[in-house]
Every structure is written in structure tokens, then in C-alpha cells.
Amino acid sequence: MSAQTCSVSVLFPEAADRGAGEGSPEPDCFRDLNLDQVVAAATRGRAEYSLAQFFHALAPDTTTVAYRQAVFRDLEAREARTAVNAFAAGMRTVRGLLRQELDRRYQREAWLFEAAERYARSVVELHDALANLDLRSDGLRRVRDYLSAYTAADEFRSLVAEAAAVREGLAEVDFSLRIRPGRVTVGLTDPAPDYTAEIEAAFERFRRAPARDYLATFTTEPDLSRVGILDRIARLHPDAFGALDAFCERHGDFVHPTVSAFDREVQFYLAYLEVVDRLRAGGLPFCYPELTAGPVEARGVFDVALAWSRAGGSAPLVPNDVRLEPPERVLVVTGPNQGGKTTLARAFGQLCYLAALGCPVAGSGAAVPLADRVLTHFGREERLEDQRSRLEEELLRMRTLLDQAGPRSVVILNEVFSSTTLVDAVFLSTEVMRRLEALGPVCVWVTFVDELASMGEATVSMVAEVLPDDPAVRTFRVTRRPADGRAYADAIARKHGVTYARLRERLPA
């Protein structure tokens, strides 16, 4: 296959899959899991690439996830990332040059010529850099092989050779300007001798201080001339400018689609690794998760969005561990409010979603299923414009979630049915639990209904801990143990304003 028809992708093992998920909307789980904040942090300053779409579509299979993980590992090496970043900077310059909108023909051609030279140089430099690296990923090895074929192909070699010839011809262009009121005359340079060196030597002994700079500063705007000087210079040097005309006609569309696609796709990796690098610098671990159909485990997991918002601050994050052994599928998290329950659920949801993208995930180790979708149901405040009650809205959302859930799904539920009575909440939650057990997704359920934690062999209980000597102090540790029955009591106390903190405020010392 020729270089011009070959196509490779660093996101998909099969290049034909490139574009899968293109235009995908933001998943419903993003805001509940604060993944919108993670993606915003990763893509900041990269709007030209429209990278968010790459984060909206999960990888279709474990092969694709492994393919991406290998590319991530290669790009974690300094040499590989330096080479790819240099290439990306060159391509950004190329796009900037091509975006110029100019009226004059030779100015347009000059900017296109500069862009073509920068493009060719960037491609060659990337190829040479990758050729000297021990790449382990199929993705970057395929890019290297493609560049070897592409840079050796006649079309690219012609681009480079013609650009060099045009540059040599333009370097020989000389001209003179005679400016008079209302008139500019363009001519060839007079062959007069240059006495600059002799004059400087003669007056050197009179030098007392650094000479003032009398050089004029010209505009940096791309549209330099409104009087057609370049057109007149071109008439004086028809061969040089004729070669420029011919070059622009033959190579007007010089950026190869595969090179352009790589430039965009690789930004997915570079953008996310910048987030990882910053959090690792603060002492937080990231790992490459194992995709498994067996036990589910996440060690030292933490909320990436929370970590990013606190990066550089003094408040430490408290990591937690999650473990599910078959036939366990549902993790029921209870305990006092503000104790880290929702943060744990959100962190696990982020981990499963990012793992299904092929990204490194927060934690010191992880083994999770490949999710086909991550579904969430977080409690929401009632709004005046809503036509339904809060409970009715919750029930409708829950029905939609259950219709979408399957054995490969990950479901995160947070404080559902908290707007109704305990009796109704227990009844509704029990019905939902039975549906989830039948559907078979992995689920983390934060709830005040302690009864859910002991419904069957598929459920596991975790409890947010407090200091034994002072129950008002949260440790933000969530441990695997039976529910203690305090969750709903704490909710009632908050509802009626009789929590420990409120009573201390109201009662005299």
C-alpha cells in the first residue's frame, strides 16, 4: 500500500474505525461524576482540536483499550513526548500560516510556501525522532512506519526538493526602492560597492557610547503592502516567482489527511497526561487498570476532579479501596453525611469511565470490567419550573436508567428517594435493587437505607467512618463492614435541626 493511501490511527487498532463516536454528545453521567471538570482541565488551551468528543465515546472493546494504554505508556517517556510535542507545535504554526486571509497574490503564496516548508520540516523531524526510539505501542510504531513510507514517497520528496529550489531562487532576489512624494519606483539593486566596514573602522576611535538604534520597525501584520511592490519585484525576477507560482499550484493541498488526523488524535493523550503529570507531582498515584470479568478492585482510588481543584493546596485527599468478589455486584455505602460516601462513588465511577477510554486511572492499582456505559442517578434539587414532583422526577429517571443498564454497565446511585418517607424509600429501593441484581451491572449505591446493605449475596456493605472518640469528626475513610444503622438517624437529625453541631449552637454552654 502506498504512503498516500495508507491510513493509521493512534486511537483505534483498525484505522477504518477512526471517527467512531465523532460528534457524540456529552454523556449524562459527566456532570454527576464531575468528568466534565476533568475534561475541561485536560482540553484547556486545545480548543482547535475539538478533543472533548474523544472523551465522550467509550472504547468498543478490550483490544482498543490495550492499544490506547500502550500509546499512553510510550508517551509517558520524555523523549517520545518531546518529539510529539515539537511536531504538534510545528503543525500549529502551519495552521496559523494557512489561516491568513490576504488580498495580494504573492503574499498569499509566500505564506503558503512558508507553511509547506514548516510542514515538511515537522514531518521529517518527527520521523527521525521516532526512528531512534524503542517504541512498544502498535499505535506509535504504525505512525513511525507510515512516516517512513510517506517521507520516501515521490510526492513528499518532490515537495521538499521543490521547496528547497524555490527558497534558493527567492534568496537571490534583490531590488531597490526609490520613494518620492506620491511615487514608489522598484528597480534592480545598483551594483555600487559597500563601504560599511570601511566607514565603521574610520569612525571607531570616536565611539564614546553605544550608538542609538535608528533602524525603523516595520509592521508584523501579514498584509505588508497595499501598493503592489511584490508584483513589481516579481516582474523583475520572473524565474524565481514563476517557480513559486508553480510550487503553490502543485502543492496547494500539501497536508496529508493521515498526518493531520495523527496531529489531532495524539492530543487526546498529551492533554490527559498533563492532568496526570500535575497530580502525580503532588504525590497522587495513577495506574493502568486491568480489564477483568472477575473480581473488581480499586486500591487508593480518589476523585480526579477534586484532586485537580486542590492541586497545590494543603488539604490532603483521603484515598479509599473498593473490592467486589463474585457473586458480589452491588456496593452499598452508608454512614454519616459529609463523610466521603459520594466522593467514593464519584471516584469509582470516574475510574470505570476513564478505564473504558483506555486512560491511566486514579489509584495504585485497579481491576474493573470494561463498561459499555456508565449510568448515574444523583439527587437533584426541585425547580419551580418543573411540572412534576421531585419523587416523580426521580422515578422517571430511574426507569430510564434501568432500561439502559445491562451486565456490562456500571451504575452509580447517590441518595435516591431521599425526598420520600423511610417506608416508601425502603420499598422503592428494594424494588430497584432486585432489578439491578437481575440485570447484573456493577453498582455503587450511596444511601441512607441501611436495609439495602444486607439484601443478598450480591450486595456488600461499606460505611463512612468517624473518629471513635468524636462522632462529629469525619475521617473520610470508607471501609468494608456491616451497616451500623445510624445513617437514617443522622438524616432525620439534620432534617429537624437536632444534629450535634446544631444543638451545640443553640444550647448555652
Side-chain angles (χ1 to χ4, degrees):
M1 184 176 293
S2 73
Q4 290 302 300
T5 58
C6 176
S7 180
V8 297
S9 171
V10 287
L11 287 178
F12 298 96
E14 299 296 330
D17 293 334
R18 173 186 285 151
E22 195 80 19
S24 298
E26 181 181 276
D28 293 337
C29 69
F30 258 45
R31 297 191 183 277
D32 285 341
L33 299 179
N34 287 345
L35 282 166
D36 57 329
Q37 298 176 27
V38 176
V39 172
T43 59
R44 186 172 294 116
R46 289 179 162 89
E48 63 191 293
Y49 300 105
S50 300
L51 294 181
Q53 297 179 44
F54 293 149
F55 290 92
H56 292 169
L58 298 181
D61 49 46
T62 56
T63 301
T64 304
V65 169
Y67 187 80
R68 294 180 183 182
Q69 286 185 355
V71 175
F72 268 117
R73 291 179 189 273
D74 269 347
L75 288 175
E76 287 204 61
R78 180 177 58 84
E79 295 83 359
R81 201 170 339 166
T82 298
V84 174
N85 272 325
F87 166 77
M91 291 297 291
R92 194 173 294 115
T93 299
V94 169
R95 288 191 297 275
L97 292 169
L98 293 177
R99 278 196 296 266
Q100 301 295 340
E101 296 182 2
L102 303 169
D103 294 330
R104 298 283 180 178
R105 166 188 170 188
Y106 287 115
Q107 286 183 267
R108 289 196 305 272
E109 290 187 355
W111 285 91
L112 188 146
F113 174 71
E114 291 282 350
E117 277 194 317
R118 188 69 175 91
Y119 168 78
R121 187 163 64 251
S122 297
V123 169
V124 170
E125 289 173 354
L126 177 63
H127 167 259
D128 292 347
L130 295 183
N132 293 318
L133 297 179
D134 181 20
L135 300 174
R136 303 299 178 89
S137 67
D138 284 344
L140 288 182
R141 283 202 299 257
R142 290 177 184 180
V143 169
R144 181 176 61 192
D145 293 344
Y146 167 78
L147 291 177
S148 294
Y150 176 56
T151 55
D154 290 342
E155 185 170 344
F156 185 82
R157 292 164 65 89
S158 173
L159 172 72
V160 173
E162 290 182 41
V166 170
R167 174 64 66 186
E168 184 178 351
L170 292 176
E172 298 298 322
V173 169
D174 62 353
F175 61 93
S176 64
L177 294 179
R178 175 175 291 183
I179 302 174
R180 299 174 181 174
R183 185 176 181 182
V184 176
T185 303
V186 180
L188 294 174
T189 303
D190 296 330
D194 186 353
Y195 295 107
T196 302
E198 289 85 345
I199 293 173
E200 287 182 346
F203 285 91
E204 178 63 30
R205 58 188 176 133
F206 301 109
R207 187 189 299 272
R208 293 177 180 237
R212 289 179 57 189
D213 185 359
Y214 292 95
L215 294 176
T217 300
F218 290 94
T219 177
T220 58
E221 292 297 318
D223 200 359
L224 297 177
S225 172
R226 291 293 179 182
V227 295
I229 291 177
L230 270 178
D231 296 335
R232 290 166 172 79
I233 297 173
R235 293 195 202 107
L236 296 175
H237 300 276
D239 292 341
F241 282 84
L244 176 62
D245 291 337
F247 178 90
C248 293
E249 183 176 350
R250 278 194 294 270
H251 302 288
D253 189 19
F254 57 83
V255 179
H256 194 283
T258 297
V259 175
S260 179
F262 168 73
D263 176 41
R264 182 185 176 215
E265 286 184 346
V266 79
Q267 291 295 323
F268 167 79
Y269 298 95
L270 300 176
Y272 186 76
L273 283 176
E274 285 190 7
V275 173
V276 172
D277 287 347
R278 183 180 180 191
L279 297 183
R280 275 181 175 161
L284 294 172
F286 278 78
C287 66
Y288 289 91
E290 176 189 352
L291 298 181
T292 176
V296 175
E297 185 175 17
R299 299 187 301 275
V301 64
F302 58 90
D303 181 339
V304 177
L306 181 61
W308 182 264
S309 68
R310 291 187 179 180
S314 57
L317 282 180
V318 179
N320 280 289
D321 299 338
V322 172
R323 179 169 53 86
L324 290 170
E325 296 280 352
E328 298 166 351
R329 302 289 289 177
V330 182
L331 199 64
V332 177
V333 186
T334 59
N337 286 286
Q338 307 300 319
K341 304 190 304 294
T342 299
T343 299
L344 172 64
R346 185 174 281 131
F348 184 76
Q350 290 175 3
L351 185 149
C352 291
Y353 189 94
L354 293 170
L357 285 177
C359 297
V361 298
S364 56
V368 294
L370 174 62
D372 61 353
R373 63 186 66 194
V374 177
L375 304 169
T376 58
H377 189 308
F378 279 47
R380 295 176 183 170
E381 295 295 329
E382 249 182 312
R383 300 175 302 176
L384 291 176
E385 61 268 26
D386 289 340
Q387 300 298 312
R388 304 184 182 95
S389 68
R390 181 177 174 184
L391 178 59
E392 185 181 5
E393 187 69 29
E394 280 194 291
L395 289 170
L396 290 171
R397 289 170 54 210
M398 184 63 74
R399 184 179 68 181
T400 300
L401 183 149
L402 293 173
D403 288 342
Q404 295 175 344
R408 288 185 53 206
S409 304
V410 172
V411 175
I412 310 295
L413 305 178
N414 186 63
E415 302 286 10
V416 297
F417 307 134
S418 59
S419 62
T420 187
T421 64
L422 175 59
V423 173
D424 289 341
V426 171
F427 171 77
L428 293 171
S429 298
T430 300
E431 292 299 312
V432 171
M433 179 68 80
R434 288 173 178 161
R435 286 286 305 277
L436 288 173
E437 289 179 348
L439 291 168
V442 169
C443 176
V444 176
W445 191 335
V446 176
T447 181
F448 60 86
V449 181
D450 291 332
E451 290 86 345
L452 294 179
S454 56
M455 278 194 63
E457 63 179 3
T459 60
V460 176
S461 173
M462 291 189 75
V463 179
E465 301 290 355
V466 296
L467 286 181
D469 298 333
D470 189 353
V473 178
R474 280 43 169 166
T475 66
F476 304 106
R477 292 284 182 190
V478 185
T479 60
R480 181 170 169 140
R481 67 175 178 84
D484 55 19
R486 297 177 182 173
Y488 188 67
D490 188 72
I492 292 294
R494 285 190 303 105
K495 180 176 180 179
H496 295 285
V498 291
T499 60
Y500 177 79
R502 290 295 306 275
L503 289 175
R504 284 288 301 272
E505 293 174 1
R506 293 160 60 184
L507 296 176

